[in-house]
Amino acid sequence: MSDIGISTKAMGKSGVTFSPLKVLKGFIPKLDTKAIVKNALISLASILLFVLLWHLGANYLFNIEATAKIEKARTEQGAEAAAQMEACILSGDVSCQPNTLPSPQQVIVAAQNLWADHLSISAKKTAFKAKVATTNADRKAQGLKPIKYTGRPSFIDQILTSIKTVFAGFLLAMFIAIPIGIITGLNENLKTAFNWLIQIFKPVSPVVWLLLVFMIVKTLIRDPELDKSFIIAAISVGLCAMWATLVNTSLGVSSVKTDYMNVAKVLQLSLGKKIFKIIIPSSIPLIFTGLRITVSVAWMVLIAIELLAQSPGLGSFVWEEFQNGANDSNAKIIVAMFVIGIIGFLLDRVMLFVQQSVSFETQ
Amino acid sequence: MSENIVEFKNVSKWYGEGENRTEVLSNINLTIKEGEFLAIVGFTGSGKTTLINLISGLLEPDEGEVLFKGKPIKGTSHERGIIFQNYSLLPWLNVFQNVALAVKEVHPDWSQEQLTEHTERFIEMVHLTPAKNKLPKELSGGMRQRVSVARALSMDPEMLLMDEPLGALDALTRGVLQEEILRIWSANRRTALLITNDVDEGVFMADRIIPLNPGPNATLGPEYTIELDRPRDKKALNSDPKFKEVRTAILNYLVDLGEAAKLEKKAEFTLPDYQPMMPHSRTFPFFRRKKDRA
Ligand SMILES: Nc1ncnc2c1ncn2[C@@H]1O[C@H](COP(=O)(O)OP(=O)(O)OP(=O)(O)O)[C@@H](O)[C@H]1O
Ligand SMILES: [Mg+2]
C-alpha cells in the first residue's frame, strides 16, 4: 500500500522537472516481486510434475501396447516375427509404433510440425493468389466469381474457423436470447407462455440441436454457394448456448429493485423510457453474467458440433486426425486439446473483463 | 391562500392480507394547507415512509381517501416531488445524469443548454459540482443524499415531500441544506412536508409539527404550531424562549410516548399470551442520527 503512496508522490514532484520515466513509474503499480516469484515457482513446479506424470503414464501405456503387439506377432506368426516386431519398435520406425497416449515430447514435435505445415500452406496460398491475380481481375471484370484456393486448411486456419463459428453462434444467441429475455421478464403472461419451452429445451443435448437445425437448414437453404455446414454449426452452437443469457436476462428484467421502479414512477417515465433507462440498465450486470456463461458453453459444444456437422474447425480437425490414425495423429489431437483449453480460457477472461467493466455496483 | 392542498380522510393502511395483515396507519385525519411547511416526527418503524408514500402516490390507502387539491390521489405526479429516504439514485447514471433525467421529464421542451444550465445549478447548490461526473458508487452516503435532494428540488414540484432527507449529513451540510430548502420553499411558497428524526430541525424549519405515535396502528399525536418569524436565524433561535418552549414540549411528548411503550411492555409481562415488543419501542433511535442506526 505504502508503495503506491510513494509512487504517486513521485509523480507529483515530477510535474516540476518532467521525467517520462518517473511518470511511467507512477502509473505502473509497484509489483510485489516476492509473491510473483513465489507463484511462478509454484506454477512451474506443478507444470513440471504434470509433465513428469504424463511422461511416466505415456511410457507405461507404450510398454503395455508394445508388449501386446509383440505377443500378437508371436501367437500369429511365430517367434521370428515377434523378434522382428521388437526390433522394429525399438528402432522407432513409424510403421510399427504402438498406438497409444503420446508422450510430451511427441506432442511438442507434433505442435512444431503443425506450425511448419501452416507456414508451408500459407506460402502455397500466397503463391496461388499471386498466380491467379490477373485471372481473378479478368473474371471480376466479367462479373464472374474469383477462383479461390481450395487446398487443405492448416491447423491455424481451423482454429480461426472455429473462433469464427463460435462468434457467429454467440451473436445469434445474443440476438435471440436478450430480446426474448426482456420480453418474458416484462410480461408475466409471456413468461408463462415461454416457460415450458425454456424448461424443456434448455437441457437438450447439443447433438440433438444439431440434427434439428440440420433438418431445417437443409430444406431452407438450397443455394450451393452458401457454406451450409458453417451455418448449421453456428446456429446449433447459438441454440445450445443461449439459454443462460435468456434466463438471466429474464430474471434481471423481472427483478428490478423497487427503489428504481419508484424513481421511474415518481418521474413518470414513459413505458419506453422506463424500459431503456431503468429496466435494461439495471439488468445489465445479470445479462452479462449470462453472456459469459453463453460464451463458455458455446465454445464447449462447438467442438462436438463441428465434429458431427463436418464443419471445418478444431472439432473436425480432431475427428479427422482420429479417423486418420496416422503415426502422429494422437499427438496432434493432444495439441488441439491444449489449444481448445487455452482459447476457452482466454474467451472467458475477455468476457470476465467485459462483465466487470459494465458492472456499476461496488465490488 | 390557505386552501387545503392535502387531506387525509380516515385513512388506514395495512400490509399483507388475512393472518399476516399488519395495520401500519390507522384512521389518520390530516390536512395540509397550501404553502404550509409541515414536519412529522416519529419513532422508527412507526409508518412515516408509508404516510409520505400515500401522498406521493406510490401507495394507495386501504381505507379512507387521500385528496390532493380536492381530488383523490391516483398514482404519482410531477406536482409532488419526493426525496427518498434511501436516496434511490440510479447507480448506472452519474450525478449529472441522475438529476438531468428528472429535469428532462419535467421540462421536455427545454433545449440542451437550458437543461444543462438548470441541472448544473442544482448540483452546485448541493456543492457537488466537483463530483458531477461520478457514479453513485463513488460517492459517500451524504453525497448521495445531496444528489437526491438536488434531483427533487430541480423538479420544482408544487409540493415537496421529504423523507428524512438530511439524515446522513454532517451538521454543517445539514444546516446549509436546511436553509437552501427553506429558501426555495419560501421563494414561491411551495407546500412542504418534512419527515425528520431531529426535533430541532423540525422546529427550525416547519410551521407545524405533528408527532406520529409508534405503530402498529399508528395515529397522529397533537399538533404543535411553531409561531416563529421567518426567516429564522439558527443562532438567535437557540436563546428564543418560544423556540425552547415548543422544543421541550415536543421532546417531552416523545419521551412520554417512550415511557408509555415501556409501561405497556411491563404490563404485558403479566399477560398469558405475551408478545415481545420490537426493540424500537423501548429504545430511542429517534435521538440518534440515521448513520448510527444502520
Ligand atoms: N412493503 C411492506 N410490506 C410489509 N410491511 C411493510 C412494508 N413497508 C413497511 N412495512 C412495515 O410497516 C411499518 C412502517 O414502515 P415505514 O417504512 O413506514 O416506517 P418509518 O416510520 O418510515 O421508519 P423509519 O424511520 O425507519 O424509516 C414497519 O413496521 C414495516 O415493517
Ligand atoms: Mg422511513
Side-chain angles (χ1 to χ4, degrees):
Chain A
M1 273 290 107
S2 65
D3 288 348
I4 294 166
I6 290 164
S7 57
T8 40
K9 244 188 232 160
M11 253 175 79
K13 274 182 201 155
S14 72
V16 188
T17 53
F18 183 79
S19 127
L21 203 76
K22 263 190 186 169
V23 173
L24 205 69
K25 246 191 191 162
F27 280 111
I28 301 169
K30 269 212 176 160
L31 301 167
D32 187 350
T33 22
K34 234 182 178 174
I36 289 177
V37 168
K38 186 179 132 218
N39 287 348
L41 283 179
I42 293 175
S43 304
L44 192 68
S46 73
I47 289 173
L48 286 178
L49 184 69
F50 174 79
V51 172
L52 178 73
L53 286 176
W54 173 12
H55 177 81
L56 293 176
N59 252 350
Y60 176 69
L61 293 172
F62 181 92
N63 286 337
I64 294 178
E65 193 73 36
T67 323
K69 251 189 154 163
I70 295 165
E71 279 312 308
K72 197 177 167 213
R74 194 190 313 280
T75 46
E76 284 173 9
Q77 289 156 299
E80 201 177 313
Q84 245 173 28
M85 177 58 84
E86 191 170 355
C88 178
I89 290 174
L90 283 178
S91 75
D93 195 296
V94 285
S95 62
C96 54
Q97 285 309 301
N99 183 10
T100 181
L101 177 72
S103 70
Q105 303 95 295
Q106 283 172 309
V107 170
I108 289 170
V109 171
Q112 285 165 347
N113 286 346
L114 282 172
W115 180 245
D117 183 50
H118 167 69
L119 290 183
S120 88
I121 287 180
S122 351
K124 266 191 225 159
K125 245 192 228 170
T126 355
F128 180 81
K129 247 187 209 153
K131 212 170 77 187
V132 297
T134 46
T135 333
N136 270 348
D138 281 352
R139 285 177 72 94
K140 200 178 175 189
Q142 288 166 23
L144 289 168
K145 292 234 165 70
I147 303 168
K148 273 191 201 141
Y149 180 79
T150 50
R152 182 171 59 88
S154 76
F155 183 57
I156 308 293
D157 294 335
Q158 309 265 45
I159 294 176
L160 293 178
T161 315
S162 277
I163 291 177
K164 220 165 66 188
T165 317
V166 92
F167 191 68
F170 172 70
L171 283 184
L172 183 80
M174 211 166 89
F175 283 117
I176 297 176
I178 293 181
I180 295 183
I182 290 173
I183 292 169
T184 54
L186 285 175
N187 186 307
E188 265 317 302
N189 294 334
L190 279 173
K191 192 175 209 158
T192 321
F194 270 94
N195 194 38
W196 67 271
L197 199 130
I198 296 172
Q199 301 302 336
I200 290 180
F201 286 149
K202 201 169 57 168
V204 169
S205 139
V207 179
V208 184
W209 277 117
L210 174 76
L211 298 179
L212 177 83
V213 172
F214 178 77
M215 294 174 215
I216 296 169
V217 169
K218 187 190 68 159
T219 324
L220 285 184
I221 297 180
R222 299 236 166 244
D223 184 353
E225 285 292 307
L226 283 171
D227 189 351
K228 234 190 274 180
S229 60
F230 171 80
I231 294 173
I232 292 175
I235 294 180
S236 315
V237 166
L239 289 182
C240 285
M242 71 177 196
W243 303 100
T245 303
L246 204 166
V247 171
N248 269 22
T249 307
S250 179
L251 180 73
V253 165
S254 60
S255 61
V256 179
K257 267 198 186 168
T258 11
D259 281 2
Y260 307 155
M261 293 314 273
N262 280 348
V263 172
K265 276 188 206 154
V266 166
L267 298 184
Q268 297 198 289
L269 299 182
S270 62
L271 181 67
K273 269 196 172 174
K274 197 156 92 184
I275 293 174
F276 287 104
K277 298 243 158 171
I278 310 275
I279 293 175
I280 294 182
S282 87
S283 12
I284 287 278
L286 256 181
I287 293 179
F288 274 83
T289 312
L291 286 176
R292 187 172 158 215
I293 301 172
T294 289
V295 166
S296 44
V297 172
W299 184 247
M300 206 132 104
V301 299
L302 172 78
I303 307 301
I305 280 178
E306 277 178 350
L307 189 153
L308 287 164
Q310 312 271 289
S311 167
L314 280 170
S316 60
F317 172 84
V318 171
W319 190 239
E320 274 160 25
E321 286 304 330
F322 181 69
Q323 300 286 38
N324 191 353
N327 190 48
D328 60 347
S329 281
N330 289 357
K332 281 184 185 167
I333 291 173
I334 303 288
V335 173
M337 194 184 97
F338 278 109
V339 168
I340 291 167
I342 290 168
I343 292 176
F345 169 70
L346 291 179
L347 284 177
D348 191 57
R349 277 294 124 139
V350 170
M351 287 311 286
L352 179 68
F353 175 76
V354 175
Q355 187 194 350
Q356 279 172 348
S357 59
V358 298
S359 163
F360 42 75
E361 309 284 3
T362 30
Q363 268 100 30
Chain B
M1 179 65 204
S2 32
E3 294 223 350
N4 290 341
I5 190 162
V6 170
E7 269 177 274
F8 277 67
K9 288 189 169 166
N10 305 319
V11 170
S12 296
K13 175 77 200 166
W14 53 78
Y15 290 109
E17 277 307 326
E19 294 258 310
N20 305 322
R21 177 168 140 176
T22 42
E23 188 153 320
V24 179
L25 299 174
S26 102
N27 204 19
I28 300 275
N29 281 296
L30 169 72
T31 52
I32 305 174
K33 293 196 180 65
E34 199 168 334
E36 181 185 29
F37 200 123
L38 174 69
I40 289 189
V41 293
F43 292 87
T44 181
S46 56
K48 304 185 297 297
T49 300
T50 309
L51 182 86
I52 213 167
N53 278 343
L54 287 172
I55 306 179
S56 74
L58 288 171
L59 290 177
E60 279 182 24
D62 291 304
E63 254 172 38
E65 53 181 358
V66 185
L67 306 179
F68 181 74
K69 291 190 192 161
K71 287 193 208 92
I73 293 174
K74 283 265 170 295
T76 55
S77 156
H78 287 162
E79 293 175 316
R80 303 181 297 275
I82 183 163
I83 302 174
F84 291 102
Q85 184 172 13
N86 44 8
Y87 332 134
S88 296
L89 300 178
L90 304 176
W92 52 89
L93 299 181
N94 66 25
V95 170
F96 180 86
Q97 292 163 330
N98 260 294
V99 179
L101 182 69
V103 178
K104 228 179 276 176
E105 279 313 304
V106 181
H107 305 284
D109 49 328
W110 276 10
S111 71
Q112 194 58 46
E113 290 83 59
Q114 273 175 304
L115 251 165
T116 313
E117 190 272 328
H118 187 84
T119 307
E120 283 181 342
R121 191 149 53 83
F122 280 86
I123 292 175
E124 174 57 34
M125 201 187 75
V126 293
H127 309 295
L128 279 179
T129 306
K132 188 169 92 167
N133 295 319
K134 287 200 171 147
L135 289 175
K137 72 171 176 192
E138 300 167 283
L139 304 177
S140 72
M143 289 162 100
R144 283 179 215 180
Q145 207 163 29
R146 269 142 66 196
V147 181
S148 169
V149 170
R151 180 173 63 187
L153 292 182
S154 74
M155 294 172 77
D156 192 18
E158 213 163 308
M159 180 169 190
L160 185 58
L161 306 169
M162 296 170 276
D163 194 356
E164 307 194 24
L166 310 176
L169 300 183
D170 59 285
L172 226 65
T173 322
R174 214 168 218 253
V176 171
L177 280 177
Q178 281 170 358
E179 309 232 2
E180 209 49 66
I181 292 170
L182 279 180
R183 192 183 60 73
I184 289 176
W185 166 76
S186 58
N188 27 25
R189 263 309 203 196
R190 300 303 200 199
T191 314
L193 173 62
L194 172 75
I195 301 253
T196 180
N197 52 25
D198 180 351
V199 176
D200 283 5
E201 181 173 276
V203 178
F204 172 62
M205 295 181 78
D207 296 320
R208 203 153 56 108
I209 297 190
I210 303 179
L212 187 64
N213 297 332
N217 299 319
T219 48
L220 291 174
E223 64 172 58
Y224 296 84
T225 315
I226 320 284
E227 278 149 352
L228 294 168
D229 297 333
R230 291 181 189 274
R232 295 169 184 169
D233 179 44
K234 262 219 165 117
K235 267 191 253 161
L237 272 189
N238 277 329
S239 49
D240 189 316
K242 262 199 234 161
F243 173 84
K244 278 192 203 160
E245 188 190 326
V246 71
R247 178 175 174 271
T248 318
I250 298 171
L251 283 175
N252 282 344
Y253 178 77
L254 291 165
V255 171
D256 287 347
L257 274 184
E259 291 292 331
K262 247 192 228 166
L263 284 178
E264 218 172 284
K265 192 208 109 194
K266 268 182 197 153
E268 274 182 36
F269 257 119
T270 58
L271 293 174
D273 59 340
Y274 166 62
Q275 291 285 315
M277 296 290 290
M278 297 312 285
H280 58 242
S281 55
R282 276 180 277 123
T283 55
F284 296 91
F286 188 83
F287 294 112
R288 279 185 268 147
R289 289 270 172 279
K290 179 103 205 310
K291 59 184 165 201
D292 306 328
R293 271 197 256 146

